[in-house]
Amino acid sequence: MVTGESSDSGFAELDDVSAAAYGLAVECGRFLREQIAEQLSLTPQEIARVEQVLTGVRLLQSMPGDPCALTPVTPDVAAASLVAPAERHIRDLQQAVTDVRAKLLSLTPLYFEGRRVRNRLEAFDVITDVSRIQSMLNHLTQNCKTELLTVQPGGARPAYALASARESALTTLSRGVAIRTIYQHTARNDLPTRSYVREVTEQGAEIRTADEVIDRLIIYDREVAFLPERSAGERIPGAAIVREPTLVAFLCSVFEYLWDGASPYVVESQRSPASSDELKWSIIRLMTKGYKDEMVARRLGMSVRTCRRHIAEITEELEATSRFQAGYNAARQEMLSGGPTASMS
């Protein structure tokens, strides 16, 4: 039963008495206060309330020229008059909601582009400032928790670099961090490198060498990897920092592949015939591919002069007068099938 009070929507609601009074007004064609009050047994206060309710719901309206005279209005006209402002407001709100949604959705491409850029920046970061790179390397080394993997191409490292590397490696090993490093075979003949390897391996580091390796690679805790920058032009190359998990995992797999194919760096046996044969085998393999002396030297991490000395020794041992003949004679001696362990003598 309606009460005549305002509902939660803000519209007045009809009560039974007001509805009955409206019915009598329709019969009479006008809202006759005294007559309706008498028929419904209403007090002056009650009939005034009924009039207020019916006017509030637009079922009564003043007659033109006589504001005190009220006539009944059909329910559909009353409803239209009563709810029209609300409906207009609803339409305005709906349009505003549509406009806001359209404007926000128009930012969707910008959002995804920003996410793409952010993901790229988080996954890769190319740093050209050498001092900043060194600061980051120092920070990551000091905070490395479980494992440090490195690939150091180019043969023997400079003595000044080994001095700082020794201190850093020993400190890192003392914290229980595992260190594995891959050098090239040519590093075995360098006295400072041998001294460095002896010290760090005594403290638990593992060092191996290979004839060829990829570019310099440093991986911290299998989470962050450093790669050399490409296309640096005339300036000193910077570094690319990789944090994207899938790519870091791939680089770890590359390291493990190189590690499995490398030979342990045992300082006491570094001058063994096997090591010498491995190096000569690597030179022959590159020679048979048609590489010039400079490229062979670069890929094996040695000077061009040293490389040419080895090539001269190889051609003499194989009784060859040219690269082609050296490769042919090596094949005849089953060097190409026997691998680096085959004897050169």
Side-chain angles (χ1 to χ4, degrees):
M1 175 179 178
V2 291
T3 63
E5 299 179 354
S6 295
S7 65
D8 293 338
S9 65
F11 297 114
E13 294 188 358
L14 283 170
D15 58 89
D16 293 343
V17 174
S18 298
Y22 171 73
L24 293 176
V26 172
E27 291 178 5
C28 299
R30 295 180 61 183
F31 185 76
L32 303 174
R33 297 174 183 82
E34 293 79 5
Q35 182 178 337
I36 293 174
E38 181 180 352
Q39 290 183 6
L40 296 178
S41 301
L42 301 177
T43 65
Q45 291 79 13
E46 291 174 331
I47 193 63
R49 183 191 66 79
V50 167
E51 180 180 340
Q52 182 179 6
V53 170
L54 294 177
T55 303
V57 295
R58 310 295 175 85
L59 287 172
L60 294 178
Q61 66 178 13
S62 301
M63 293 182 63
D66 189 0
C68 295
L70 300 175
T71 58
V73 178
T74 60
D76 58 338
V77 173
S81 175
L82 182 64
V83 304
E87 289 179 333
R88 185 167 53 252
H89 182 59
I90 291 172
R91 286 194 299 270
D92 292 342
L93 284 177
Q94 289 177 331
Q95 185 61 47
V97 169
T98 300
D99 292 343
V100 169
R101 179 178 286 110
K103 289 178 181 179
L104 293 179
L105 291 179
S106 69
L107 298 176
T108 300
L110 183 62
Y111 170 80
F112 283 110
E113 175 63 16
R115 280 291 301 273
R116 186 188 66 79
V117 173
R118 190 186 75 185
N119 291 339
R120 178 179 62 81
L121 292 176
E122 290 177 350
F124 304 97
D125 191 8
V126 178
I127 301 177
T128 58
D129 187 342
V130 177
S131 61
R132 183 184 173 196
I133 294 172
Q134 189 59 53
S135 297
M136 294 188 68
L137 289 172
N138 294 339
H139 172 76
L140 289 170
T141 301
Q142 293 169 5
N143 291 275
C144 189
K145 298 180 177 61
T146 58
E147 187 179 41
L148 174 58
L149 310 175
T150 60
V151 177
Q152 298 286 357
R157 300 176 66 187
Y160 70 85
L162 287 173
S164 59
R166 177 184 290 104
E167 180 180 355
S168 175
L170 294 176
T171 302
T172 302
L173 289 166
S174 68
R175 302 200 316 265
V177 177
I179 294 181
R180 287 190 288 162
T181 301
I182 302 175
Y183 289 113
Q184 290 187 265
H185 288 325
T186 48
R188 292 175 179 265
N189 301 319
D190 181 66
L191 291 177
T193 302
R194 290 169 57 193
S195 175
Y196 166 80
V197 171
R198 179 183 291 107
E199 287 191 51
V200 297
T201 53
E202 287 176 353
Q203 300 303 316
E206 296 181 79
I207 312 292
R208 293 187 179 184
T209 64
D211 56 350
E212 290 186 79
V213 296
I214 58 175
D215 281 331
R216 192 177 310 277
L217 172 64
I218 307 174
I219 305 175
Y220 295 93
D221 291 331
R222 296 181 178 262
E223 294 178 352
V224 181
F226 276 73
L227 295 170
E229 180 192 12
R230 293 294 187 182
S231 303
E234 297 181 356
R235 63 176 171 79
I236 300 176
I241 304 174
V242 182
R243 300 183 182 88
E244 204 285 317
T246 302
L247 293 179
V248 174
F250 172 77
L251 293 173
C252 290
S253 298
V254 171
F255 178 89
E256 296 296 348
Y257 177 81
L258 294 172
W259 182 262
D260 290 340
S263 303
Y265 192 145
V266 181
V267 175
E268 288 72 14
S269 61
Q270 66 87 28
R271 290 186 178 275
S272 65
S275 297
S276 177
D277 286 348
E278 282 182 352
L279 181 58
K280 290 179 179 179
W281 165 258
S282 301
I283 292 174
I284 290 175
R285 180 171 55 81
L286 294 175
M287 286 171 58
T288 58
K289 291 183 178 181
Y291 291 127
K292 300 298 184 182
D293 297 351
E294 292 77 5
M295 180 59 70
V296 174
R298 185 184 309 164
R299 294 189 61 158
L300 297 180
M302 65 176 68
S303 68
V304 176
R305 181 178 179 181
T306 301
C307 178
R308 286 173 176 165
R309 178 170 56 81
H310 283 298
I311 291 175
E313 293 175 357
I314 292 170
T315 54
E316 181 179 354
E317 291 179 17
L318 292 174
E319 298 179 354
T321 58
S322 66
R323 292 169 179 269
F324 177 80
Q325 188 178 7
Y328 176 77
N329 291 350
R332 288 186 60 187
Q333 295 183 22
E334 298 184 351
M335 282 291 297
L336 296 179
S337 59
T341 58
S343 174
M344 288 293 299
S345 58

